[in-house]
Amino acid sequence: MKILVCISSVPDTTSKINFTADKSAFDKNGIQWVINPLDEFALTKAIKLQESQGATVTVVNVGDAGTEAVIRKALAIGANDAIRVNTEAKDSFSVAKEIARVAQDGAYELVLMGKESIDYNGGAVPGMVAQLLNFPFVNAAVGFDVNGSEATAVREIEGGKETISVKLPAVVAGQKGLVDEKDLIIPNMRGIMSARTKALQVVEPSNTEVKVEAVSFDSVAPRAAVKLVSADNLDELVRLLHEEAKVI
Amino acid sequence: MAVFVYAENINGIYKKAAFEAVSYAKAIATKTGDSVTAISINPTDSSDLLYKYGADKVINVKDAGLKNFSSKAYAQAVNEVFDGNVIVFPHTTDASSVAPMLAIQKNYSLITNAIDVPESTSPFQVKRRAFSGKGFMHAKADAAGVIVTVSQNAYGVKENAASGSEEVKELSIANEDTKVINHEQSSGKLDLKEAEVVVSAGRGMKGPENWGMIEDLANVLGAATACSKPVSDIGWRPHTEHVGQTGKAISPNLYVAVGISGAIQHLAGVNSSKTIVVINNDAEAPFFKSADYGVVGDAFQIIPALTEKIKALKGA
């Protein structure tokens, strides 16, 4: 089975988010880049399928040369090879178009990724890729297994979960729970060394059309200073929540 | 022309998110001088519930084949009845799975996670959540039509009664790609993303056996329960309760954090809560800097006492 895992290069989760002085763009100064954590769940799941079913795992990223360190990490984790579509990710639609083209050209039977990236939080790429490929789509997967030409996915629903069978080829977008946090693979020295020799193919983009533009960005407004209430005076806390904040 | 809205129902029952989406669509329609048309798939609830929030028309799609949810089949169904330039979806798991597929089918712009009414409707521009709550983006749609998903609890549910009418549309969509094997709905539990009050706890609770007092406080507040990442990682609580950057992002009216130090990744998921209360025995916990109200002290004494005091208030 051929699996395509889509990864996004995002600011490390501990990053403070700043914008340029004119607020027109995200300020990349001093930012460490990591594999989008939700994509990492998908990648680990793919590596497990590689181990258990002999699947091959190709990683795809839409990004400029600056994302290659993150792609190499995915190779060190265990992906067989990688493809970078050589263009800056601009919006969900243009990214989805590039991924769908790669998926189609490579005749992948399973496209796995995180349900959203932790930077722009669009949550749109997986569904768009599925529609462009005319594949079934399972979102918010917290469990997944392949059995021949069919797969079983557990997806989170509001207030519960649902187990569904899905015909392959399919697009599955995962989240925390798809694999356990403790099962995430930390690259070892052998993985890092072998990643250097694995193929990282660079392909040129086919489409630069965007449908959504980022006009400007705002930071989060700071809250007023905290009002501390003594642990011996919880009546005061209740009063503040009832009378001042009016939330109880 | 009508502003359309996808009114999500779960097993036929409208969700609060559906009312919020209708309220939001009404706000757009008021700006543009249009009417509001809601689309729902196999609802059993009365359309009156949607008129109350401003729907002028409700299209009830009847399709036995759509008894079970499938993003692809639902997107196709919505596409068959939606013929406008704007459609609003709630940013729930299911609706936000349908919206991207519909965006491709219609060749429209898709803006997700909107947190306010649009700044402009032509071109469509709106403020949206980004960077997991650590920033905001003003996004502009370039296509002729736009699909917008509204972040839950961001706009709120606003009554705006209209005298609506209902149309039933019989469809017959093939839904063969996915098949439901098992469906588990936990009864009586408040949906975390919809909850107006959330009580959340972290490693400071020392173990899962101590969660009873968190649940007691949540019960008296009518709140959903949540937890920090380490707590779900070590299995004290289910993943579905993890709020934060890689868990759920929430915007309740009141967020009570117990024994959570307030790492930047946790704050990202909760800092759009309207009021934040932090209870922690470490006066230096960074969370106090992002809180409205704080209590420094032992949660094991504070939480039961606070529960009793709120119970007394509610009983008064």
Side-chain angles (χ1 to χ4, degrees), chain B residues 247-302:
Chain B
K248 290 191 170 69
I250 53 168
S251 315
N253 280 334
L254 172 61
Y255 182 70
V256 182
V258 184
I260 298 175
S261 62
I264 190 167
Q265 297 97 326
H266 185 78
L267 293 177
V270 304
N271 64 8
S272 52
S273 308
K274 281 152 201 102
T275 300
I276 295 179
V277 176
V278 169
I279 297 166
N280 202 302
N281 59 7
D282 175 9
E284 302 301 317
F287 213 157
F288 284 116
K289 291 198 177 79
S290 304
D292 299 286
Y293 304 104
V295 185
V296 179
D298 181 358
F300 292 88
Q301 300 192 341
I302 292 169

Side-chain angles (χ1 to χ4, degrees), chain A residues 85-167:
Chain A
V85 182
N86 188 27
T87 181
E88 201 183 334
K90 293 183 194 78
D91 77 337
S92 304
F93 175 72
S94 58
V95 170
K97 281 276 252 197
E98 298 301 341
I99 291 172
R101 183 175 59 107
V102 168
Q104 206 148 30
D105 289 351
Y108 292 90
E109 294 148 284
L110 177 62
V111 182
L112 280 174
M113 63 188 109
K115 69 168 187 165
E116 66 175 17
S117 65
I118 62 160
D119 50 4
Y120 292 97
N121 305 115
V125 171
M128 285 181 168
V129 170
Q131 184 65 54
L132 287 165
L133 294 169
N134 199 27
F135 284 5
F137 172 45
V138 180
N139 200 10
V142 291
F144 185 72
D145 263 311
V146 176
N147 202 341
S149 65
E150 289 227 343
T152 306
V154 182
R155 68 180 195 99
E156 190 181 330
I157 55 172
E158 268 78 12
K161 56 186 178 181
E162 198 170 76
T163 307
I164 54 177
S165 69
V166 49
K167 281 188 183 151

